mmCIF file of all heavy atoms in Angstrom:
data_model
loop_
_atom_site.group_PDB
_atom_site.id
_atom_site.type_symbol
_atom_site.label_atom_id
_atom_site.label_comp_id
_atom_site.label_asym_id
_atom_site.label_seq_id
_atom_site.Cartn_x
_atom_site.Cartn_y
_atom_site.Cartn_z
ATOM 1 N N PRO A 301 13.612 -10.079 25.846
ATOM 2 C CA PRO A 301 14.112 -8.935 25.078
ATOM 3 C C PRO A 301 12.979 -7.983 24.725
ATOM 4 O O PRO A 301 11.872 -8.420 24.416
ATOM 5 C CB PRO A 301 14.669 -9.567 23.803
ATOM 6 C CG PRO A 301 14.752 -11.016 24.041
ATOM 7 C CD PRO A 301 13.860 -11.358 25.175
ATOM 8 N N SER A 302 13.232 -6.673 24.781
ATOM 9 C CA SER A 302 12.229 -5.671 24.437
ATOM 10 C C SER A 302 12.655 -4.995 23.132
ATOM 11 O O SER A 302 13.741 -5.249 22.609
ATOM 12 C CB SER A 302 12.150 -4.625 25.539
ATOM 13 O OG SER A 302 13.362 -3.899 25.544
ATOM 14 N N LEU A 303 11.797 -4.134 22.651
ATOM 15 C CA LEU A 303 12.154 -3.400 21.433
ATOM 16 C C LEU A 303 13.366 -2.504 21.666
ATOM 17 O O LEU A 303 14.141 -2.228 20.767
ATOM 18 C CB LEU A 303 10.974 -2.557 20.945
ATOM 19 C CG LEU A 303 9.886 -3.315 20.193
ATOM 20 C CD1 LEU A 303 8.822 -2.346 19.711
ATOM 21 C CD2 LEU A 303 10.461 -4.084 19.017
ATOM 22 N N ASP A 304 13.497 -2.036 22.917
ATOM 23 C CA ASP A 304 14.659 -1.213 23.229
ATOM 24 C C ASP A 304 15.939 -2.026 23.033
ATOM 25 O O ASP A 304 16.955 -1.518 22.569
ATOM 26 C CB ASP A 304 14.566 -0.714 24.670
ATOM 27 C CG ASP A 304 15.411 0.533 24.884
ATOM 28 O OD1 ASP A 304 15.845 1.129 23.867
ATOM 29 O OD2 ASP A 304 15.635 0.911 26.038
ATOM 30 N N ASP A 305 15.874 -3.323 23.401
ATOM 31 C CA ASP A 305 17.043 -4.182 23.202
ATOM 32 C C ASP A 305 17.330 -4.360 21.713
ATOM 33 O O ASP A 305 18.479 -4.448 21.303
ATOM 34 C CB ASP A 305 16.808 -5.544 23.854
ATOM 35 C CG ASP A 305 16.627 -5.412 25.355
ATOM 36 O OD1 ASP A 305 17.380 -4.632 25.962
ATOM 37 O OD2 ASP A 305 15.718 -6.050 25.903
ATOM 38 N N VAL A 306 16.247 -4.412 20.934
ATOM 39 C CA VAL A 306 16.433 -4.511 19.486
ATOM 40 C C VAL A 306 17.197 -3.289 18.991
ATOM 41 O O VAL A 306 18.139 -3.383 18.208
ATOM 42 C CB VAL A 306 15.063 -4.614 18.764
ATOM 43 C CG1 VAL A 306 15.255 -4.618 17.261
ATOM 44 C CG2 VAL A 306 14.318 -5.849 19.209
ATOM 45 N N TYR A 307 16.776 -2.131 19.504
ATOM 46 C CA TYR A 307 17.436 -0.897 19.111
ATOM 47 C C TYR A 307 18.893 -0.870 19.576
ATOM 48 O O TYR A 307 19.805 -0.526 18.830
ATOM 49 C CB TYR A 307 16.666 0.298 19.692
ATOM 50 C CG TYR A 307 17.200 1.613 19.199
ATOM 51 C CD1 TYR A 307 16.824 2.098 17.957
ATOM 52 C CD2 TYR A 307 18.097 2.351 19.961
ATOM 53 C CE1 TYR A 307 17.328 3.290 17.478
ATOM 54 C CE2 TYR A 307 18.604 3.542 19.488
ATOM 55 C CZ TYR A 307 18.218 4.007 18.258
ATOM 56 O OH TYR A 307 18.730 5.177 17.783
ATOM 57 N N LEU A 308 19.080 -1.297 20.828
ATOM 58 C CA LEU A 308 20.428 -1.321 21.412
ATOM 59 C C LEU A 308 21.346 -2.229 20.602
ATOM 60 O O LEU A 308 22.487 -1.889 20.302
ATOM 61 C CB LEU A 308 20.324 -1.817 22.866
ATOM 62 C CG LEU A 308 21.617 -1.935 23.659
ATOM 63 C CD1 LEU A 308 22.203 -0.557 23.910
ATOM 64 C CD2 LEU A 308 21.376 -2.631 24.982
ATOM 65 N N GLN A 309 20.811 -3.386 20.255
ATOM 66 C CA GLN A 309 21.590 -4.358 19.501
ATOM 67 C C GLN A 309 22.032 -3.781 18.143
ATOM 68 O O GLN A 309 23.155 -3.956 17.708
ATOM 69 C CB GLN A 309 20.718 -5.604 19.273
ATOM 70 C CG GLN A 309 21.313 -6.640 18.353
ATOM 71 C CD GLN A 309 22.222 -7.563 19.143
ATOM 72 O OE1 GLN A 309 22.409 -7.396 20.340
ATOM 73 N NE2 GLN A 309 22.806 -8.534 18.475
ATOM 74 N N ALA A 310 21.112 -3.067 17.509
ATOM 75 C CA ALA A 310 21.384 -2.578 16.160
ATOM 76 C C ALA A 310 22.268 -1.342 16.148
ATOM 77 O O ALA A 310 23.036 -1.131 15.219
ATOM 78 C CB ALA A 310 20.074 -2.297 15.431
ATOM 79 N N THR A 311 22.170 -0.505 17.183
ATOM 80 C CA THR A 311 22.877 0.783 17.130
ATOM 81 C C THR A 311 23.967 0.910 18.181
ATOM 82 O O THR A 311 24.774 1.825 18.122
ATOM 83 C CB THR A 311 21.910 1.953 17.362
ATOM 84 O OG1 THR A 311 21.381 1.842 18.681
ATOM 85 C CG2 THR A 311 20.790 1.958 16.358
ATOM 86 N N GLY A 312 23.966 0.025 19.173
ATOM 87 C CA GLY A 312 24.967 0.132 20.230
ATOM 88 C C GLY A 312 24.613 1.153 21.288
ATOM 89 O O GLY A 312 25.410 1.451 22.158
ATOM 90 N N ARG A 313 23.436 1.734 21.216
ATOM 91 C CA ARG A 313 23.009 2.629 22.295
ATOM 92 C C ARG A 313 21.516 2.449 22.503
ATOM 93 O O ARG A 313 20.807 1.982 21.620
ATOM 94 C CB ARG A 313 23.336 4.093 21.964
ATOM 95 C CG ARG A 313 22.804 4.512 20.624
ATOM 96 C CD ARG A 313 23.195 5.939 20.292
ATOM 97 N NE ARG A 313 22.564 6.297 19.023
ATOM 98 C CZ ARG A 313 22.450 7.518 18.571
ATOM 99 N NH1 ARG A 313 22.923 8.522 19.264
ATOM 100 N NH2 ARG A 313 21.866 7.757 17.422
ATOM 101 N N THR A 314 21.049 2.814 23.709
ATOM 102 C CA THR A 314 19.612 2.684 23.951
ATOM 103 C C THR A 314 18.890 3.834 23.283
ATOM 104 O O THR A 314 19.484 4.873 22.982
ATOM 105 C CB THR A 314 19.291 2.714 25.456
ATOM 106 O OG1 THR A 314 19.652 4.003 25.945
ATOM 107 C CG2 THR A 314 20.044 1.644 26.211
ATOM 108 N N LEU A 315 17.596 3.624 23.089
ATOM 109 C CA LEU A 315 16.804 4.667 22.454
ATOM 110 C C LEU A 315 16.834 5.938 23.289
ATOM 111 O O LEU A 315 16.889 7.050 22.765
ATOM 112 C CB LEU A 315 15.364 4.171 22.287
ATOM 113 C CG LEU A 315 14.458 5.042 21.433
ATOM 114 C CD1 LEU A 315 15.008 5.160 20.028
ATOM 115 C CD2 LEU A 315 13.052 4.476 21.395
ATOM 116 N N MET A 316 16.840 5.776 24.615
ATOM 117 C CA MET A 316 16.840 6.956 25.467
ATOM 118 C C MET A 316 18.136 7.743 25.326
ATOM 119 O O MET A 316 18.113 8.976 25.259
ATOM 120 C CB MET A 316 16.635 6.538 26.918
ATOM 121 C CG MET A 316 16.242 7.698 27.791
ATOM 122 S SD MET A 316 16.521 7.300 29.503
ATOM 123 C CE MET A 316 14.960 7.765 30.201
ATOM 124 N N ASP A 317 19.255 7.049 25.247
ATOM 125 C CA ASP A 317 20.538 7.734 25.035
ATOM 126 C C ASP A 317 20.519 8.497 23.720
ATOM 127 O O ASP A 317 20.964 9.641 23.638
ATOM 128 C CB ASP A 317 21.686 6.709 24.989
ATOM 129 C CG ASP A 317 22.101 6.294 26.388
ATOM 130 O OD1 ASP A 317 21.781 7.049 27.325
ATOM 131 O OD2 ASP A 317 22.730 5.229 26.526
ATOM 132 N N ALA A 318 20.009 7.827 22.680
ATOM 133 C CA ALA A 318 19.953 8.455 21.366
ATOM 134 C C ALA A 318 19.066 9.693 21.405
ATOM 135 O O ALA A 318 19.365 10.731 20.823
ATOM 136 C CB ALA A 318 19.414 7.458 20.344
ATOM 137 N N GLU A 319 17.967 9.550 22.168
ATOM 138 C CA GLU A 319 17.004 10.640 22.299
ATOM 139 C C GLU A 319 17.661 11.837 22.988
ATOM 140 O O GLU A 319 17.527 12.978 22.541
ATOM 141 C CB GLU A 319 15.846 10.093 23.139
ATOM 142 C CG GLU A 319 14.621 10.921 23.168
ATOM 143 C CD GLU A 319 13.944 11.010 21.819
ATOM 144 O OE1 GLU A 319 13.993 10.037 21.046
ATOM 145 O OE2 GLU A 319 13.391 12.067 21.532
ATOM 146 N N LEU A 320 18.383 11.555 24.069
ATOM 147 C CA LEU A 320 19.041 12.636 24.803
ATOM 148 C C LEU A 320 20.085 13.311 23.921
ATOM 149 O O LEU A 320 20.195 14.543 23.899
ATOM 150 C CB LEU A 320 19.705 12.083 26.074
ATOM 151 C CG LEU A 320 18.721 11.638 27.157
ATOM 152 C CD1 LEU A 320 19.461 10.949 28.299
ATOM 153 C CD2 LEU A 320 17.924 12.823 27.678
ATOM 154 N N ALA A 321 20.850 12.507 23.184
ATOM 155 C CA ALA A 321 21.876 13.064 22.303
ATOM 156 C C ALA A 321 21.215 13.940 21.235
ATOM 157 O O ALA A 321 21.711 15.021 20.900
ATOM 158 C CB ALA A 321 22.676 11.938 21.649
ATOM 159 N N ALA A 322 20.080 13.466 20.724
ATOM 160 C CA ALA A 322 19.402 14.213 19.671
ATOM 161 C C ALA A 322 18.879 15.538 20.194
ATOM 162 O O ALA A 322 18.978 16.567 19.531
ATOM 163 C CB ALA A 322 18.254 13.380 19.104
ATOM 164 N N ILE A 323 18.351 15.519 21.419
ATOM 165 C CA ILE A 323 17.790 16.751 21.968
ATOM 166 C C ILE A 323 18.870 17.810 22.115
ATOM 167 O O ILE A 323 18.677 18.968 21.782
ATOM 168 C CB ILE A 323 17.106 16.472 23.334
ATOM 169 C CG1 ILE A 323 15.819 15.685 23.110
ATOM 170 C CG2 ILE A 323 16.796 17.766 24.066
ATOM 171 C CD1 ILE A 323 15.232 15.114 24.375
ATOM 172 N N SER A 324 20.071 17.384 22.579
ATOM 173 C CA SER A 324 21.110 18.378 22.822
ATOM 174 C C SER A 324 21.688 18.914 21.518
ATOM 175 O O SER A 324 22.209 20.021 21.478
ATOM 176 C CB SER A 324 22.221 17.779 23.693
ATOM 177 O OG SER A 324 22.813 16.718 22.991
ATOM 178 N N SER A 325 21.568 18.142 20.437
ATOM 179 C CA SER A 325 22.168 18.634 19.195
ATOM 180 C C SER A 325 21.108 19.194 18.245
ATOM 181 O O SER A 325 21.357 19.450 17.094
ATOM 182 C CB SER A 325 22.920 17.499 18.494
ATOM 183 O OG SER A 325 22.006 16.533 18.060
ATOM 184 N N ARG A 326 19.916 19.398 18.778
ATOM 185 C CA ARG A 326 18.808 19.837 17.957
ATOM 186 C C ARG A 326 18.935 21.299 17.559
ATOM 187 O O ARG A 326 19.308 22.122 18.367
ATOM 188 C CB ARG A 326 17.524 19.672 18.758
ATOM 189 C CG ARG A 326 16.502 19.017 17.924
ATOM 190 C CD ARG A 326 15.338 18.540 18.658
ATOM 191 N NE ARG A 326 14.487 18.142 17.539
ATOM 192 C CZ ARG A 326 13.354 17.568 17.630
ATOM 193 N NH1 ARG A 326 12.865 17.307 18.797
ATOM 194 N NH2 ARG A 326 12.670 17.246 16.572
ATOM 195 N N ASP A 327 18.601 21.601 16.323
ATOM 196 C CA ASP A 327 18.631 22.987 15.857
ATOM 197 C C ASP A 327 17.203 23.352 15.448
ATOM 198 O O ASP A 327 16.775 23.126 14.329
ATOM 199 C CB ASP A 327 19.583 23.096 14.649
ATOM 200 C CG ASP A 327 19.695 24.535 14.173
ATOM 201 O OD1 ASP A 327 18.885 25.363 14.637
ATOM 202 O OD2 ASP A 327 20.573 24.816 13.360
#
Side-chain angles (χ1 to χ4, degrees):
Chain A
S302 68
L303 281 183
D304 202 13
D305 298 318
V306 176
Y307 186 81
L308 179 67
Q309 172 86 358
T311 64
R313 53 183 184 165
T314 65
L315 190 60
M316 196 198 230
D317 280 340
E319 192 66 33
L320 290 173
I323 289 168
S324 63
S325 67
R326 227 167 172 175
D327 183 349

